[in-house]
Amino acid sequence: MRRMSRVVKVDPQAPESREIERAAKILRDGGLVAFRTETVYGLGAHALDPQAVRRIFAAKERPDWDPLIVHVRDLAMAHPLMKRLSPQFELLASRCWPGPLTLVVEKADHVPDAVTARRPTVALRMPWHPVAAALLEAAGLPIAAPSANRFGRPSPTCAEHVVEDLADRVDLILDAGPTPLGVESTVLDLTQSPPAILRPGGVSREELEKVLGEVQLASAVTDEVARNGLMAPGMTAKHYAPRATVELFENAMQLQARADELRGRGQRIGFLAVTDNIDRLAQTLFGQFRSQDGQGVDVILCVLPPPTGLGFAVRDRL
Ligand code: TXA
Ligand code: MG
């Protein structure tokens, strides 16, 4: 029999304790729960139970070399997962947690290889969102949670996206409405010196530099895309894979010229809503990818936001 996951609605600000308790029990028993965080929906499992963690990889069809983020309720939950404390960790945790910042640190021996993909490091994040916080509190254990999408799909920013990608592969989906931020957390590697941004996200490089001084961009975050713009107009996005081709432009005039050209060739075109409001663009970005794909457009055109603050993270996703 095909098993359908249960979707229950919870209040995003004050999630009902009955539903949270039920979800926490599923996690303690080794099951999978999708839940809202401030960034995107996460697919959670008991982080210290290798079998539960392997179910995440299976559900997402995620390659086993790609490590997971471990979510913690508080510092008391984080500390035992780490080999040692560092002043940088403590400083960032006190200034930026809870929030959309993930810190990569040396792991304690008992953190399973399944979570860290056999690396000596673990990625830790303390979310502020009430649903995530309540679930961590009730479960009383660290929760490994990647974004709750199938591998290669845009991250889910509402429960419907999770159903689309994982319907029968997750035991419970806590539907608390659309996520406020819309892009994932910033991943910062504290084992490098200076600390390196592995993935731009909800906490900006500028904010991190205010706390730490110098912060570098990992080489994978290419300077061309993240800072200066494009290698050439019409570069194709690779990371998150909408089925349509995505073409990026520095300004609306370039985009317009390209749109005319494509229409002339009979191509179906979609536009990513161009807005001066970067928060709104971030919130709706992944949802727009999904809905444009649903409409079967050939090419999605978008004007890039400026490369500062959250714009930096949005450019990276584009
Ligand atoms: O906002 C978020 O971070 C969301 C919510 C659910 O918290 N989670 C999320 O997880 O985006 P995921 O698995 O989709 O992305 C985690 C990223 C991956 O790029 C992974 O390679 C990296 O973090 N990562 C995890 N552990 C790492 C480690 N030990 N060293 C380096 N990178 C790591
Ligand atoms: Mg992901």
Side-chain angles (χ1 to χ4, degrees), residues 7-20 35-36 41 129 131 173-177:
V7 182
V8 296
K9 287 213 188 288
V10 291
D11 184 322
Q13 297 316 318
E16 294 75 1
S17 54
R18 230 184 78 126
E19 309 301 351
I20 293 295
F35 61 99
R36 179 171 130 159
Y41 273 74
H129 194 273
V131 172
I173 298 172
L174 293 174
D175 177 359

Side-chain angles (χ1 to χ4, degrees), residues 35 37 39-43 60 62 66-69 71 100 102 104-105 115-116 119 121-123 125 127 145-149 155 183-187 189 198-199 240:
F35 61 99
T37 79
T39 56
V40 300
Y41 273 74
L43 177 62
K60 279 182 63 93
R62 182 180 176 113
D66 197 0
L68 306 179
I69 295 175
H71 297 68
T102 296
V104 175
V105 297
V115 175
T116 64
R119 288 169 195 239
T121 55
V122 62
R125 163 158 132 76
S147 49
N149 52 284
S155 291
V183 292
E184 303 90 339
S185 63
T186 302
V187 179
D189 185 353
L198 304 181
R199 177 178 73 184
Y240 295 90

Side-chain angles (χ1 to χ4, degrees), residues 9-228:
K9 287 213 188 288
V10 291
D11 184 322
Q13 297 316 318
E16 294 75 1
S17 54
R18 230 184 78 126
E19 309 301 351
I20 293 295
E21 280 304 332
R22 196 198 308 186
K25 175 158 192 330
I26 292 172
L27 291 174
R28 284 192 296 266
D29 292 346
L32 300 183
V33 175
F35 61 99
R36 179 171 130 159
T37 79
E38 64 270 31
T39 56
V40 300
Y41 273 74
L43 177 62
H46 185 333
L48 302 177
D49 175 349
Q51 231 175 323
V53 169
R54 271 184 227 111
R55 291 192 59 207
I56 293 180
F57 284 89
K60 279 182 63 93
E61 296 171 27
R62 182 180 176 113
D64 65 3
W65 45 258
D66 197 0
L68 306 179
I69 295 175
V70 176
H71 297 68
V72 295
R73 171 75 182 104
D74 48 29
L75 288 175
M77 197 182 268
H79 288 160
L81 305 172
M82 307 167 59
K83 182 142 255 168
R84 61 180 70 87
L85 285 178
S86 72
Q88 284 179 329
F89 173 86
E90 306 221 43
L91 197 58
L92 284 166
S94 70
R95 302 274 184 86
C96 302
W97 277 5
L101 176 65
T102 296
L103 299 173
V104 175
V105 297
E106 274 182 273
K107 81 174 187 80
D109 293 339
H110 71 285
V111 177
D113 282 343
V115 175
T116 64
R118 291 173 292 281
R119 288 169 195 239
T121 55
V122 62
L124 301 176
R125 163 158 132 76
M126 187 194 294
W128 64 249
H129 194 273
V131 172
L135 188 57
L136 283 158
E137 176 82 38
L141 42 88
I143 301 176
S147 49
N149 52 284
R150 277 209 207 182
F151 186 71
R153 296 266 291 149
S155 291
T157 52
C158 61
E160 288 77 18
H161 298 164
V162 182
V163 173
E164 255 170 48
D165 280 13
L166 302 174
D168 56 342
R169 301 179 175 197
V170 42
D171 299 302
L172 181 65
I173 298 172
L174 293 174
D175 177 359
T179 55
L181 207 54
V183 292
E184 303 90 339
S185 63
T186 302
V187 179
L188 184 70
D189 185 353
L190 291 181
T191 69
Q192 298 188 43
S193 182
I197 295 177
L198 304 181
R199 177 178 73 184
V203 172
S204 70
R205 181 184 190 174
E206 293 88 334
E207 286 169 74
L208 293 174
E209 283 180 335
K210 260 189 238 152
V211 180
L212 289 180
E214 202 188 343
V215 169
Q216 58 171 323
L217 285 177
S219 53
V221 185
T222 63
D223 276 37
E224 275 86 357
V225 177
R227 296 172 88 175
N228 305 324

